[in-house]
Amino acid sequence: MTECKEKVRYRFAGICGTALSLSACAVGPDYRPPQATSLGVPATYYQGADLQGVAPTVGDSELAQWWTRLNDPTLSALIDTAVANNLDIVQAQARLRQARESLAQTNAAFLPQLNASGNGGKNYRSQAGGTRVDDSGNVISTGASNWSSSYSANTSASWQIDLFGELSRSAEAARAELSASGYDLATVRMTIISELVTNYVQARLAQEQLRIARETQRVQQDNFDIAGWRLQAGLVSSLDEQQARAQLAQTRASIPQQEANLRGSLNRIAVLTGQAPGETTRALETPAPIPTATPQIAIGIPADTLRQRPDIRSAERSLAAATARIGVAEAQLYPSLGISGNLGTTSNAFSDLFSLITGGVFANVSQVIFDGGRLASQVRSQRAATDAAFAAYKQSVLTALEDVENAMASLASARTRQAEFTIAYDASNNAALLARSQYQAGIIDFQILSNTETTLLNARNSLATARSDEILAIARLYDALGGGWQSMDNRPIDEQKS
Protein backbone atom coordinates (compact mmCIF):
# COMPACT_ATOMS: atom_id res chain seq x y z
CA MET A 1 0.00 0.00 0.00
CA THR A 2 2.84 2.39 0.90
CA GLU A 3 4.63 1.61 -2.36
CA CYS A 4 1.46 2.40 -4.32
CA LYS A 5 1.10 5.76 -2.56
CA GLU A 6 4.72 6.63 -3.37
CA LYS A 7 4.16 5.89 -7.07
CA VAL A 8 1.07 8.13 -7.13
CA ARG A 9 2.95 10.92 -5.40
CA TYR A 10 5.91 10.79 -7.80
CA ARG A 11 3.64 10.65 -10.83
CA PHE A 12 1.70 13.69 -9.58
CA ALA A 13 4.96 15.59 -9.00
CA GLY A 14 6.12 14.69 -12.49
CA ILE A 15 2.89 15.96 -14.05
CA CYS A 16 3.14 19.24 -12.09
CA GLY A 17 6.80 19.74 -13.00
CA THR A 18 6.14 19.18 -16.69
CA ALA A 19 3.16 21.50 -16.60
CA LEU A 20 5.13 24.27 -14.89
CA SER A 21 7.96 24.04 -17.39
CA LEU A 22 5.52 24.24 -20.29
CA SER A 23 3.65 27.17 -18.72
CA ALA A 24 6.70 29.38 -19.29
CA CYS A 25 5.83 29.40 -23.01
CA ALA A 26 3.43 32.36 -23.43
CA VAL A 27 2.15 32.90 -26.96
CA GLY A 28 1.36 36.33 -28.37
CA PRO A 29 3.50 39.43 -28.85
CA ASP A 30 5.60 40.81 -25.99
CA TYR A 31 4.66 44.45 -25.43
CA ARG A 32 7.19 47.24 -25.89
CA PRO A 33 6.16 50.90 -25.50
CA PRO A 34 6.21 52.83 -28.79
CA GLN A 35 9.05 55.31 -29.24
CA ALA A 36 8.36 59.04 -29.32
CA THR A 37 9.35 59.23 -32.99
CA SER A 38 6.62 56.76 -33.99
CA LEU A 39 4.09 58.98 -32.23
CA GLY A 40 4.99 62.11 -34.18
CA VAL A 41 6.44 63.99 -31.19
CA PRO A 42 8.57 66.99 -32.30
CA ALA A 43 11.83 67.99 -30.64
CA THR A 44 10.60 71.39 -29.43
CA TYR A 45 7.37 73.31 -28.98
CA TYR A 46 6.54 75.60 -31.88
CA GLN A 47 5.09 78.35 -29.67
CA GLY A 48 7.77 78.07 -26.98
CA ALA A 49 10.27 80.27 -28.82
CA ASP A 50 7.80 83.19 -28.85
CA LEU A 51 6.80 82.96 -25.17
CA GLN A 52 8.75 85.07 -22.70
CA GLY A 53 9.78 83.67 -19.32
CA VAL A 54 9.92 80.01 -20.37
CA ALA A 55 12.38 77.64 -18.72
CA PRO A 56 13.78 74.79 -20.84
CA THR A 57 13.28 72.01 -18.28
CA VAL A 58 10.47 71.04 -15.94
CA GLY A 59 10.44 68.62 -13.02
CA ASP A 60 7.71 66.78 -11.17
CA SER A 61 8.18 69.00 -8.11
CA GLU A 62 7.35 72.07 -10.19
CA LEU A 63 4.23 70.47 -11.61
CA ALA A 64 2.97 68.69 -8.49
CA GLN A 65 1.50 71.79 -6.82
CA TRP A 66 1.73 74.40 -9.53
CA TRP A 67 -1.17 76.42 -8.09
CA THR A 68 1.03 77.54 -5.19
CA ARG A 69 2.80 79.74 -7.76
CA LEU A 70 -0.37 81.85 -7.86
CA ASN A 71 0.38 83.05 -4.31
CA ASP A 72 -3.19 82.66 -3.06
CA PRO A 73 -3.59 80.72 0.23
CA THR A 74 -7.39 80.69 -0.11
CA LEU A 75 -7.14 78.96 -3.48
CA SER A 76 -4.63 76.42 -2.15
CA ALA A 77 -6.97 75.58 0.75
CA LEU A 78 -9.88 75.09 -1.65
CA ILE A 79 -7.82 72.72 -3.78
CA ASP A 80 -6.87 70.66 -0.71
CA THR A 81 -10.56 70.39 0.15
CA ALA A 82 -11.49 69.41 -3.41
CA VAL A 83 -8.82 66.71 -3.60
CA ALA A 84 -10.13 65.22 -0.34
CA ASN A 85 -13.90 65.56 -0.94
CA ASN A 86 -14.69 65.90 -4.64
CA LEU A 87 -17.16 63.21 -5.63
CA ASP A 88 -15.73 62.69 -9.12
CA ILE A 89 -12.41 61.85 -7.45
CA VAL A 90 -14.20 59.54 -5.00
CA GLN A 91 -15.79 57.68 -7.94
CA ALA A 92 -12.41 57.36 -9.70
CA GLN A 93 -10.89 56.01 -6.48
CA ALA A 94 -13.65 53.40 -6.32
CA ARG A 95 -12.95 52.38 -9.92
CA LEU A 96 -9.27 52.02 -9.05
CA ARG A 97 -10.16 49.71 -6.16
CA GLN A 98 -12.33 47.68 -8.52
CA ALA A 99 -9.42 47.31 -10.95
CA ARG A 100 -7.16 46.23 -8.09
CA GLU A 101 -9.63 43.51 -7.07
CA SER A 102 -9.95 42.44 -10.71
CA LEU A 103 -6.20 41.83 -10.76
CA ALA A 104 -6.48 39.80 -7.55
CA GLN A 105 -9.21 37.68 -9.15
CA THR A 106 -7.08 37.13 -12.25
CA ASN A 107 -4.06 36.09 -10.18
CA ALA A 108 -6.24 33.60 -8.29
CA ALA A 109 -6.53 31.55 -11.49
CA PHE A 110 -2.86 30.53 -11.13
CA LEU A 111 -3.63 28.62 -7.90
CA PRO A 112 -5.45 25.29 -7.43
CA GLN A 113 -9.16 25.48 -6.73
CA LEU A 114 -10.27 23.43 -3.71
CA ASN A 115 -13.85 22.48 -2.87
CA ALA A 116 -15.22 20.46 0.00
CA SER A 117 -18.67 19.13 0.78
CA GLY A 118 -20.21 16.98 3.42
CA ASN A 119 -23.62 15.73 4.42
CA GLY A 120 -25.24 13.70 7.09
CA GLY A 121 -28.74 12.56 7.79
CA LYS A 122 -31.14 9.90 8.98
CA ASN A 123 -33.35 7.73 6.83
CA TYR A 124 -36.75 6.60 8.08
CA ARG A 125 -38.34 3.26 7.10
CA SER A 126 -41.72 2.00 8.19
CA GLN A 127 -42.88 -1.65 7.80
CA ALA A 128 -46.57 -2.15 8.35
CA GLY A 129 -48.54 -5.44 8.59
CA GLY A 130 -47.76 -6.76 12.07
CA THR A 131 -45.30 -9.42 13.18
CA ARG A 132 -44.08 -11.87 10.54
CA VAL A 133 -42.70 -15.38 11.26
CA ASP A 134 -41.15 -18.12 9.12
CA ASP A 135 -42.34 -21.75 8.81
CA SER A 136 -40.46 -22.67 11.99
CA GLY A 137 -42.14 -19.91 13.97
CA ASN A 138 -39.11 -17.60 14.10
CA VAL A 139 -39.86 -13.83 14.00
CA ILE A 140 -38.75 -12.25 10.70
CA SER A 141 -39.92 -8.68 11.38
CA THR A 142 -42.03 -6.97 13.92
CA GLY A 143 -43.59 -4.48 11.48
CA ALA A 144 -42.18 -1.56 13.50
CA SER A 145 -40.64 1.66 12.09
CA ASN A 146 -36.87 2.32 12.33
CA TRP A 147 -34.20 5.02 11.59
CA SER A 148 -30.78 4.60 9.94
CA SER A 149 -27.89 7.10 9.72
CA SER A 150 -25.64 7.99 6.75
CA TYR A 151 -22.64 10.34 6.49
CA SER A 152 -20.34 11.35 3.64
CA ALA A 153 -17.49 13.83 3.01
CA ASN A 154 -15.89 14.80 -0.30
CA THR A 155 -13.01 17.04 -1.31
CA SER A 156 -12.09 17.93 -4.87
CA ALA A 157 -9.25 19.96 -6.35
CA SER A 158 -8.57 21.28 -9.83
CA TRP A 159 -5.66 23.18 -11.32
CA GLN A 160 -5.60 24.76 -14.77
CA ILE A 161 -2.03 24.74 -16.03
CA ASP A 162 -0.94 27.90 -17.83
CA LEU A 163 0.40 25.83 -20.70
CA PHE A 164 0.60 28.51 -23.39
CA GLY A 165 0.36 31.66 -21.29
CA GLU A 166 -3.39 32.32 -21.32
CA LEU A 167 -3.38 33.03 -17.58
CA SER A 168 -0.12 34.98 -17.58
CA ARG A 169 -1.28 37.16 -20.49
CA SER A 170 -4.60 37.72 -18.69
CA ALA A 171 -2.70 38.82 -15.59
CA GLU A 172 -0.49 41.06 -17.72
CA ALA A 173 -3.61 42.72 -19.18
CA ALA A 174 -5.15 43.10 -15.72
CA ARG A 175 -1.99 44.77 -14.38
CA ALA A 176 -2.00 47.19 -17.30
CA GLU A 177 -5.68 47.96 -16.73
CA LEU A 178 -4.98 48.60 -13.05
CA SER A 179 -2.30 51.09 -14.00
CA ALA A 180 -4.67 52.70 -16.50
CA SER A 181 -7.28 53.09 -13.77
CA GLY A 182 -4.68 54.74 -11.56
CA TYR A 183 -3.83 57.20 -14.30
CA ASP A 184 -7.54 57.80 -14.93
CA LEU A 185 -7.83 58.78 -11.27
CA ALA A 186 -4.86 61.12 -11.72
CA THR A 187 -6.54 62.65 -14.79
CA VAL A 188 -9.74 63.28 -12.84
CA ARG A 189 -7.79 64.92 -10.03
CA MET A 190 -5.88 67.08 -12.50
CA THR A 191 -9.11 68.13 -14.24
CA ILE A 192 -10.85 69.01 -10.97
CA ILE A 193 -7.92 71.19 -9.87
CA SER A 194 -7.89 73.01 -13.21
CA GLU A 195 -11.65 73.59 -13.12
CA LEU A 196 -11.48 74.83 -9.53
CA VAL A 197 -8.73 77.31 -10.41
CA THR A 198 -10.74 78.49 -13.42
CA ASN A 199 -13.87 79.14 -11.36
CA TYR A 200 -11.92 80.79 -8.59
CA VAL A 201 -10.26 83.22 -11.03
CA GLN A 202 -13.60 83.88 -12.70
CA ALA A 203 -15.14 84.64 -9.29
CA ARG A 204 -12.38 87.13 -8.50
CA LEU A 205 -12.79 88.66 -11.97
CA ALA A 206 -16.53 89.08 -11.38
CA GLN A 207 -15.78 90.80 -8.06
CA GLU A 208 -13.31 93.14 -9.79
CA GLN A 209 -15.79 93.97 -12.53
CA LEU A 210 -18.47 94.60 -9.89
CA ARG A 211 -16.13 97.02 -8.15
CA ILE A 212 -15.44 98.80 -11.44
CA ALA A 213 -19.16 98.96 -12.27
CA ARG A 214 -20.07 100.39 -8.87
CA GLU A 215 -17.31 102.99 -8.99
CA THR A 216 -18.39 103.93 -12.52
CA GLN A 217 -21.98 104.15 -11.31
CA ARG A 218 -21.00 106.68 -8.65
CA VAL A 219 -19.15 108.80 -11.21
CA GLN A 220 -22.05 108.61 -13.64
CA GLN A 221 -24.47 109.54 -10.88
CA ASP A 222 -22.42 112.68 -10.32
CA ASN A 223 -22.49 113.38 -14.05
CA PHE A 224 -26.27 112.95 -14.07
CA ASP A 225 -26.62 115.34 -11.13
CA ILE A 226 -24.37 117.91 -12.85
CA ALA A 227 -26.39 117.62 -16.04
CA GLY A 228 -29.57 118.20 -14.05
CA TRP A 229 -28.15 121.29 -12.34
CA ARG A 230 -26.95 122.71 -15.64
CA LEU A 231 -30.38 122.06 -17.18
CA GLN A 232 -32.07 123.94 -14.32
CA ALA A 233 -29.62 126.79 -14.83
CA GLY A 234 -30.52 126.91 -18.53
CA LEU A 235 -26.96 126.13 -19.61
CA VAL A 236 -27.82 122.94 -21.53
CA SER A 237 -30.82 121.28 -23.06
CA SER A 238 -32.56 118.22 -21.66
CA LEU A 239 -30.54 116.13 -24.13
CA ASP A 240 -27.56 116.12 -21.77
CA GLU A 241 -29.70 115.02 -18.86
CA GLN A 242 -31.30 112.19 -20.83
CA GLN A 243 -27.94 110.97 -22.14
CA ALA A 244 -26.56 110.95 -18.60
CA ARG A 245 -29.64 109.10 -17.39
CA ALA A 246 -29.33 106.45 -20.12
CA GLN A 247 -25.62 105.94 -19.41
CA LEU A 248 -26.28 105.52 -15.70
CA ALA A 249 -29.06 103.01 -16.33
CA GLN A 250 -26.86 100.90 -18.61
CA THR A 251 -24.16 100.66 -15.94
CA ARG A 252 -26.74 99.73 -13.30
CA ALA A 253 -28.08 97.02 -15.61
CA SER A 254 -24.63 95.40 -15.88
CA ILE A 255 -24.36 94.89 -12.10
CA PRO A 256 -26.97 92.08 -11.73
CA GLN A 257 -25.28 90.14 -14.53
CA GLN A 258 -21.91 90.39 -12.80
CA GLU A 259 -23.52 89.31 -9.52
CA ALA A 260 -25.05 86.29 -11.28
CA ASN A 261 -21.64 85.40 -12.76
CA LEU A 262 -20.09 85.60 -9.31
CA ARG A 263 -22.79 83.42 -7.76
CA GLY A 264 -22.44 80.83 -10.53
CA SER A 265 -18.67 80.55 -9.97
CA LEU A 266 -19.12 80.29 -6.20
CA ASN A 267 -21.77 77.59 -6.57
CA ARG A 268 -19.48 75.61 -8.86
CA ILE A 269 -16.63 75.93 -6.38
CA ALA A 270 -18.89 74.52 -3.65
CA VAL A 271 -19.77 71.45 -5.73
CA LEU A 272 -16.15 70.91 -6.78
CA THR A 273 -15.18 70.79 -3.11
CA GLY A 274 -17.92 68.25 -2.39
CA GLN A 275 -20.31 70.66 -0.67
CA ALA A 276 -23.75 72.14 -1.27
CA PRO A 277 -23.91 75.63 -2.79
CA GLY A 278 -24.71 78.48 -0.44
CA GLU A 279 -23.25 78.87 3.02
CA THR A 280 -20.11 76.89 2.26
CA THR A 281 -18.74 79.65 0.02
CA ARG A 282 -19.88 82.66 2.06
CA ALA A 283 -16.29 83.51 3.00
CA LEU A 284 -15.45 83.83 -0.70
CA GLU A 285 -18.05 86.58 -1.13
CA THR A 286 -15.61 89.01 0.45
CA PRO A 287 -13.84 90.63 -2.54
CA ALA A 288 -10.21 89.74 -3.11
CA PRO A 289 -7.83 90.54 -5.99
CA ILE A 290 -7.30 88.32 -8.99
CA PRO A 291 -4.34 85.98 -8.28
CA THR A 292 -0.96 86.81 -9.74
CA ALA A 293 1.76 84.45 -10.93
CA THR A 294 5.50 84.49 -11.32
CA PRO A 295 6.45 85.14 -14.96
CA GLN A 296 8.86 82.19 -15.15
CA ILE A 297 7.18 78.96 -16.35
CA ALA A 298 8.93 75.66 -17.02
CA ILE A 299 7.51 73.78 -19.99
CA GLY A 300 10.27 71.29 -20.86
CA ILE A 301 10.18 69.53 -24.23
CA PRO A 302 7.31 67.77 -26.06
CA ALA A 303 8.65 64.30 -25.21
CA ASP A 304 8.06 65.09 -21.54
CA THR A 305 4.31 64.88 -22.16
CA LEU A 306 4.62 61.08 -22.49
CA ARG A 307 5.69 60.99 -18.85
CA GLN A 308 3.83 63.95 -17.37
CA ARG A 309 0.31 63.53 -18.74
CA PRO A 310 -1.68 60.83 -16.91
CA ASP A 311 -4.22 60.56 -19.75
CA ILE A 312 -1.37 59.67 -22.13
CA ARG A 313 0.00 57.11 -19.69
CA SER A 314 -3.49 55.66 -19.29
CA ALA A 315 -3.78 55.31 -23.08
CA GLU A 316 -0.34 53.65 -23.18
CA ARG A 317 -1.39 51.16 -20.48
CA SER A 318 -4.60 50.44 -22.39
CA LEU A 319 -2.42 49.65 -25.43
CA ALA A 320 -0.34 47.29 -23.28
CA ALA A 321 -3.51 45.55 -22.06
CA ALA A 322 -4.83 45.17 -25.61
CA THR A 323 -1.50 43.69 -26.72
CA ALA A 324 -1.57 41.16 -23.88
CA ARG A 325 -5.09 40.10 -24.85
CA ILE A 326 -3.75 38.99 -28.24
CA GLY A 327 -1.81 36.34 -26.33
CA VAL A 328 -4.96 35.37 -24.40
CA ALA A 329 -6.84 34.87 -27.67
CA GLU A 330 -3.96 32.96 -29.32
CA ALA A 331 -3.56 30.64 -26.33
CA GLN A 332 -7.10 29.38 -26.88
CA LEU A 333 -5.96 27.96 -30.23
CA TYR A 334 -3.62 25.54 -28.43
CA PRO A 335 -4.29 22.54 -26.15
CA SER A 336 -5.24 23.18 -22.52
CA LEU A 337 -4.04 21.02 -19.66
CA GLY A 338 -5.71 20.58 -16.29
CA ILE A 339 -5.10 18.47 -13.20
CA SER A 340 -7.88 17.37 -10.89
CA GLY A 341 -8.26 15.10 -7.92
CA ASN A 342 -10.79 14.05 -5.29
CA LEU A 343 -11.06 12.39 -1.89
CA GLY A 344 -14.26 10.93 -0.48
CA THR A 345 -15.63 8.77 2.28
CA THR A 346 -19.04 7.32 3.19
CA SER A 347 -20.21 5.58 6.35
CA ASN A 348 -23.35 4.67 8.27
CA ALA A 349 -21.75 5.84 11.52
CA PHE A 350 -20.00 9.15 12.11
CA SER A 351 -17.32 7.47 14.23
CA ASP A 352 -16.37 5.29 11.25
CA LEU A 353 -16.57 8.09 8.65
CA PHE A 354 -12.80 8.27 8.00
CA SER A 355 -12.06 4.56 8.32
CA LEU A 356 -12.20 4.13 4.54
CA ILE A 357 -11.10 6.92 2.16
CA THR A 358 -11.12 6.75 -1.60
CA GLY A 359 -9.63 9.18 -4.09
CA GLY A 360 -7.94 9.74 -7.41
CA VAL A 361 -5.74 12.12 -9.41
CA PHE A 362 -6.44 12.87 -13.07
CA ALA A 363 -4.91 14.90 -15.86
CA ASN A 364 -6.99 16.09 -18.78
CA VAL A 365 -6.03 17.65 -22.09
CA SER A 366 -8.47 19.35 -24.44
CA GLN A 367 -8.04 20.79 -27.92
CA VAL A 368 -10.55 22.48 -30.19
CA ILE A 369 -10.64 20.55 -33.48
CA PHE A 370 -13.19 22.60 -35.41
CA ASP A 371 -15.11 25.72 -34.42
CA GLY A 372 -15.82 27.29 -37.77
CA GLY A 373 -12.94 29.76 -37.40
CA ARG A 374 -14.33 31.37 -34.23
CA LEU A 375 -11.07 31.34 -32.21
CA ALA A 376 -8.97 32.52 -35.15
CA SER A 377 -11.45 35.33 -35.67
CA GLN A 378 -11.07 36.33 -32.02
CA VAL A 379 -7.31 36.67 -32.53
CA ARG A 380 -7.81 38.88 -35.57
CA SER A 381 -10.40 40.92 -33.69
CA GLN A 382 -8.02 41.49 -30.80
CA ARG A 383 -5.23 42.54 -33.17
CA ALA A 384 -7.65 45.08 -34.65
CA ALA A 385 -8.46 46.28 -31.12
CA THR A 386 -4.74 46.70 -30.47
CA ASP A 387 -4.36 48.77 -33.63
CA ALA A 388 -7.22 50.96 -32.42
CA ALA A 389 -5.58 51.27 -29.00
CA PHE A 390 -2.33 52.42 -30.64
CA ALA A 391 -4.25 55.02 -32.67
CA ALA A 392 -5.96 56.21 -29.47
CA TYR A 393 -2.58 56.44 -27.75
CA LYS A 394 -1.08 58.47 -30.57
CA GLN A 395 -4.19 60.66 -30.67
CA SER A 396 -3.87 61.39 -26.95
CA VAL A 397 -0.23 62.42 -27.49
CA LEU A 398 -1.07 64.76 -30.36
CA THR A 399 -4.02 66.22 -28.44
CA ALA A 400 -1.74 66.89 -25.47
CA LEU A 401 0.75 68.70 -27.69
CA GLU A 402 -2.13 70.72 -29.14
CA ASP A 403 -3.27 71.66 -25.61
CA VAL A 404 0.22 72.87 -24.69
CA GLU A 405 0.61 74.90 -27.90
CA ASN A 406 -2.84 76.48 -27.49
CA ALA A 407 -2.18 77.31 -23.84
CA MET A 408 1.14 78.95 -24.70
CA ALA A 409 -0.54 80.95 -27.47
CA SER A 410 -3.27 82.07 -25.05
CA LEU A 411 -0.67 83.06 -22.46
CA ALA A 412 1.35 85.09 -24.97
CA SER A 413 -1.84 86.78 -26.17
CA ALA A 414 -3.01 87.59 -22.63
CA ARG A 415 0.34 89.12 -21.71
CA THR A 416 0.42 91.25 -24.85
CA ARG A 417 -3.15 92.42 -24.34
CA GLN A 418 -2.48 93.17 -20.69
CA ALA A 419 0.43 95.44 -21.61
CA GLU A 420 -1.65 97.29 -24.22
CA PHE A 421 -4.72 97.59 -21.98
CA THR A 422 -2.52 99.06 -19.23
CA ILE A 423 -1.57 101.83 -21.64
CA ALA A 424 -5.20 102.20 -22.72
CA TYR A 425 -6.40 102.43 -19.12
CA ASP A 426 -3.87 105.14 -18.24
CA ALA A 427 -4.79 107.19 -21.32
CA SER A 428 -8.54 106.69 -20.83
CA ASN A 429 -8.34 107.67 -17.16
CA ASN A 430 -6.45 110.87 -17.99
CA ALA A 431 -8.93 111.66 -20.77
CA ALA A 432 -11.88 111.09 -18.44
CA LEU A 433 -10.46 113.44 -15.81
CA LEU A 434 -9.99 116.17 -18.42
CA ALA A 435 -13.43 115.58 -19.90
CA ARG A 436 -15.16 115.89 -16.52
CA SER A 437 -13.46 119.14 -15.69
CA GLN A 438 -14.14 120.55 -19.16
CA TYR A 439 -17.80 119.51 -19.02
CA GLN A 440 -18.22 121.14 -15.65
CA ALA A 441 -16.66 124.27 -17.14
CA GLY A 442 -19.02 124.10 -20.13
CA ILE A 443 -16.23 123.67 -22.67
CA ILE A 444 -17.51 120.35 -24.11
CA ASP A 445 -20.95 118.80 -24.41
CA PHE A 446 -22.11 115.67 -22.61
CA GLN A 447 -21.70 113.41 -25.65
CA ILE A 448 -17.92 113.83 -25.51
CA LEU A 449 -17.93 113.17 -21.76
CA SER A 450 -20.14 110.10 -22.27
CA ASN A 451 -17.83 108.67 -24.91
CA THR A 452 -14.82 109.27 -22.71
CA GLU A 453 -16.45 107.59 -19.70
CA THR A 454 -17.48 104.61 -21.82
CA THR A 455 -13.94 104.24 -23.14
CA LEU A 456 -12.58 104.30 -19.58
CA LEU A 457 -15.08 101.68 -18.41
CA ASN A 458 -14.20 99.39 -21.31
CA ALA A 459 -10.48 99.85 -20.70
CA ARG A 460 -10.81 99.00 -17.00
CA ASN A 461 -12.88 95.89 -17.70
CA SER A 462 -10.57 94.83 -20.52
CA LEU A 463 -7.50 95.21 -18.31
CA ALA A 464 -9.12 93.13 -15.55
CA THR A 465 -10.12 90.49 -18.11
CA ALA A 466 -6.61 90.36 -19.56
CA ARG A 467 -5.16 89.85 -16.07
CA SER A 468 -7.56 87.00 -15.39
CA ASP A 469 -6.90 85.56 -18.86
CA GLU A 470 -3.19 85.42 -18.07
CA ILE A 471 -3.84 83.38 -14.92
CA LEU A 472 -6.34 81.15 -16.73
CA ALA A 473 -3.83 80.59 -19.54
CA ILE A 474 -1.18 79.66 -16.97
CA ALA A 475 -3.65 77.22 -15.38
CA ARG A 476 -4.42 75.69 -18.78
CA LEU A 477 -0.72 75.46 -19.57
CA TYR A 478 0.11 73.61 -16.34
CA ASP A 479 -2.91 71.38 -16.92
CA ALA A 480 -1.77 70.69 -20.49
CA LEU A 481 1.71 69.86 -19.23
CA GLY A 482 0.21 67.29 -16.85
CA GLY A 483 0.58 69.10 -13.54
CA GLY A 484 -1.35 68.45 -10.36
CA TRP A 485 -1.17 64.69 -9.77
CA GLN A 486 2.50 63.87 -9.13
CA SER A 487 2.11 64.01 -5.33
CA MET A 488 -1.14 62.05 -5.13
CA ASP A 489 -1.39 59.26 -2.54
CA ASN A 490 -3.28 56.77 -4.73
CA ARG A 491 -0.62 56.42 -7.42
CA PRO A 492 -0.76 53.71 -10.10
CA ILE A 493 1.08 50.48 -9.30
CA ASP A 494 4.00 51.13 -11.66
CA GLU A 495 4.45 54.55 -10.03
CA GLN A 496 4.52 52.92 -6.59
CA LYS A 497 7.34 50.60 -7.67
CA SER A 498 9.57 53.46 -8.75
Side-chain angles (χ1 to χ4, degrees):
M1 183 67 178
T2 302
E3 182 180 355
C4 182
K5 289 182 178 180
E6 288 295 324
K7 289 182 178 179
V8 170
R9 185 170 64 184
Y10 284 126
R11 287 176 181 174
F12 182 77
I15 293 174
C16 293
T18 303
L20 288 174
S21 62
L22 289 173
S23 66
C25 177
V27 298
D30 293 327
Y31 176 74
R32 290 178 177 80
Q35 297 299 312
T37 54
S38 66
L39 299 171
V41 179
T44 59
Y45 288 111
Y46 177 80
Q47 188 71 28
D50 300 329
L51 190 62
Q52 299 296 321
V54 172
T57 59
V58 60
D60 288 347
S61 60
E62 295 174 281
L63 292 173
Q65 293 185 317
W66 60 264
W67 54 89
T68 58
R69 293 172 172 265
L70 303 182
N71 305 309
D72 195 318
T74 301
L75 175 60
S76 297
L78 287 172
I79 290 176
D80 290 340
T81 303
V83 169
N85 301 328
N86 180 268
L87 297 180
D88 287 329
I89 294 178
V90 172
Q91 294 177 60
Q93 289 172 334
R95 289 191 291 270
L96 176 60
R97 293 197 301 271
Q98 284 182 300
R100 187 173 289 118
E101 295 306 323
S102 178
L103 175 60
Q105 295 166 25
T106 302
N107 287 336
F110 286 97
L111 303 175
Q113 306 297 306
L114 301 176
N115 297 283
S117 64
N119 62 71
K122 287 183 174 292
N123 300 315
Y124 175 77
R125 185 177 65 177
S126 175
Q127 292 180 339
T131 301
R132 298 173 58 194
V133 296
D134 58 14
D135 295 340
S136 303
N138 299 317
V139 176
I140 299 175
S141 65
T142 62
S145 302
N146 57 61
W147 292 85
S148 62
S149 300
S150 64
Y151 302 94
S152 65
N154 295 279
T155 300
S156 63
S158 62
W159 187 15
Q160 181 67 38
I161 305 302
D162 192 21
L163 192 59
F164 291 99
E166 180 179 357
L167 299 181
S168 59
R169 291 301 190 191
S170 296
E172 182 182 342
R175 285 193 299 271
E177 288 171 343
L178 174 58
S179 291
S181 295
Y183 290 124
D184 289 341
L185 168 59
T187 301
V188 171
R189 169 176 164 153
M190 190 178 71
T191 302
I192 294 303
I193 291 173
S194 177
E195 187 177 357
L196 181 57
V197 172
T198 298
N199 281 274
Y200 182 82
V201 173
Q202 289 175 341
R204 295 311 187 195
L205 172 62
Q207 290 175 337
E208 177 65 13
Q209 290 178 331
L210 275 170
R211 183 183 68 83
I212 293 171
R214 286 165 179 156
E215 289 180 357
T216 302
Q217 178 185 336
R218 287 193 292 269
V219 172
Q220 291 175 347
Q221 181 66 55
D222 291 341
N223 293 340
F224 176 66
D225 294 338
I226 293 171
W229 297 334
R230 297 192 70 192
L231 176 62
Q232 293 176 0
L235 300 176
V236 296
S237 67
S238 60
L239 177 62
D240 283 11
E241 182 186 42
Q242 293 305 313
Q243 286 179 330
R245 180 184 178 191
Q247 187 183 58
L248 177 60
Q250 288 175 348
T251 301
R252 285 176 175 170
S254 68
I255 292 177
Q257 182 61 51
Q258 296 299 335
E259 290 175 338
N261 292 341
L262 173 60
R263 176 48 54 193
S265 295
L266 294 180
N267 290 342
R268 187 58 189 156
I269 289 172
V271 174
L272 289 172
T273 54
Q275 304 172 87
E279 290 295 325
T280 56
T281 55
R282 181 172 293 276
L284 296 178
E285 294 177 4
T286 302
I290 298 171
T292 58
T294 55
Q296 189 78 2
I297 299 177
I299 63 171
I301 59 175
D304 291 336
T305 58
L306 305 183
R307 175 181 57 86
Q308 295 164 355
R309 289 270 296 232
D311 56 335
I312 292 178
R313 300 183 75 165
S314 175
E316 186 273 332
R317 290 288 82 201
S318 295
L319 174 59
T323 304
R325 290 196 195 96
I326 295 176
V328 175
E330 286 188 1
Q332 295 176 3
L333 296 170
Y334 296 92
S336 62
L337 171 63
I339 299 175
S340 61
N342 64 76
L343 292 174
T345 180
T346 302
S347 176
N348 291 329
F350 186 78
S351 58
D352 297 331
L353 180 61
F354 298 101
S355 60
L356 178 62
I357 298 176
T358 60
V361 177
F362 309 93
N364 60 80
V365 178
S366 63
Q367 169 67 59
V368 175
I369 302 300
F370 178 75
D371 65 351
R374 178 179 61 86
L375 294 180
S377 176
Q378 289 179 353
V379 175
R380 294 192 298 271
S381 175
Q382 190 53 51
R383 289 188 180 277
T386 303
D387 292 340
F390 174 78
Y393 177 38
K394 184 174 182 178
Q395 179 70 21
S396 67
V397 172
L398 298 180
T399 300
L401 298 177
E402 177 189 17
D403 292 342
V404 175
E405 293 285 0
N406 289 342
M408 286 192 292
S410 297
L411 180 56
S413 172
R415 286 177 171 176
T416 302
R417 287 187 293 112
Q418 184 175 343
E420 295 299 329
F421 281 130
T422 300
I423 297 173
Y425 168 67
D426 290 339
S428 299
N429 189 47
N430 293 334
L433 291 174
L434 291 172
R436 288 187 204 115
S437 62
Q438 290 177 359
Y439 178 72
Q440 292 173 359
I443 299 175
I444 61 174
D445 60 18
F446 187 81
Q447 184 62 48
I448 297 177
L449 174 61
S450 176
N451 293 338
T452 306
E453 293 285 359
T454 301
T455 301
L456 174 59
L457 176 60
N458 292 336
R460 295 182 70 183
N461 281 327
S462 297
L463 179 57
T465 301
R467 287 172 177 168
S468 69
D469 285 347
E470 179 187 11
I471 302 304
L472 293 176
I474 290 174
R476 284 194 294 270
L477 179 55
Y478 276 116
D479 184 64
L481 292 172
W485 67 275
Q486 286 79 2
S487 61
M488 63 186 291
D489 296 330
N490 238 333
R491 293 176 298 165
I493 54 173
D494 56 340
E495 288 290 317
Q496 295 171 359
K497 292 177 181 178
S498 59

